[in-house]
Amino acid sequence: MNNSAAGSSSKAKVGLSQQSEPSFKRKRAIFQKDLQHMMYGFGDDPNPLPESMALLEDIVVEYVTDLVHKAQDIASKRGKLLTEDFLYLVRKDAPKFNRCTELLSMNEELKQARKAFDVDEEKLATID
């Protein structure tokens, strides 16, 4: 009698978890190569198990989706999603915050370098 009660409660839990999952289908293996390289860099096998890759990708996609939803909630007051919304969310996690600011500053430097290169190229084209 206990087994049937435990079985029915576990079925109820499974049913609840299936209902809470999003109803959209997402493309699999979007981050597969990147995650594979990261896993190898952290000491895993060069060709990790597909199950490990799928699990890690699910975790990453869930984290990113959750972060974007939180950023959208913050930005809804303003009506526009900005990079500052993401910085606000990771502000208490120093390594993430520092890496984000580093990547944003590198991105800005690259934009300026491309712009300078385009201007130089245009000047050379007009001189010829």
Side-chain angles (χ1 to χ4, degrees):
M1 198 163 191
N2 275 343
N3 289 341
S4 64
S8 65
S9 66
S10 65
K11 287 179 185 176
K13 289 179 185 177
V14 170
L16 288 176
S17 66
Q18 289 175 348
Q19 290 173 352
S20 65
E21 290 181 18
S23 60
F24 63 91
K25 301 243 181 192
R26 70 176 180 84
K27 187 177 174 184
R28 288 299 236 174
I30 327 173
F31 304 114
Q32 186 172 7
K33 279 290 180 193
D34 298 322
L35 291 174
Q36 185 176 359
H37 292 303
M38 287 175 65
M39 289 171 72
Y40 180 66
F42 282 104
D44 200 356
D45 191 68
N47 297 312
L49 294 173
E51 295 86 7
S52 300
M53 295 295 301
L55 176 65
L56 191 58
E57 185 173 20
D58 287 343
I59 292 169
V60 168
V61 168
E62 182 181 336
Y63 174 77
V64 170
T65 304
D66 186 45
L67 192 68
V68 169
H69 284 248
K70 287 179 183 177
Q72 283 177 331
D73 290 342
I74 293 169
S76 66
K77 298 170 188 162
R78 190 175 46 255
K80 187 176 182 183
L81 186 63
L82 301 172
T83 55
E84 285 78 21
D85 298 323
F86 292 99
L87 289 174
Y88 177 78
L89 290 172
V90 296
R91 71 190 184 282
K92 293 182 182 175
D93 190 352
K96 284 181 192 171
F97 183 79
N98 291 334
R99 182 66 175 152
C100 287
T101 53
E102 177 186 359
L103 289 172
L104 287 170
S105 65
M106 285 174 39
N107 187 36
E108 191 61 37
E109 288 177 25
L110 286 171
K111 282 182 184 177
Q112 291 174 355
R114 282 189 200 110
K115 187 176 180 181
F117 184 75
D118 288 342
V119 169
D120 290 343
E121 213 172 65
E122 289 174 5
K123 285 180 183 178
L124 288 175
T126 58
I127 292 173
D128 292 337

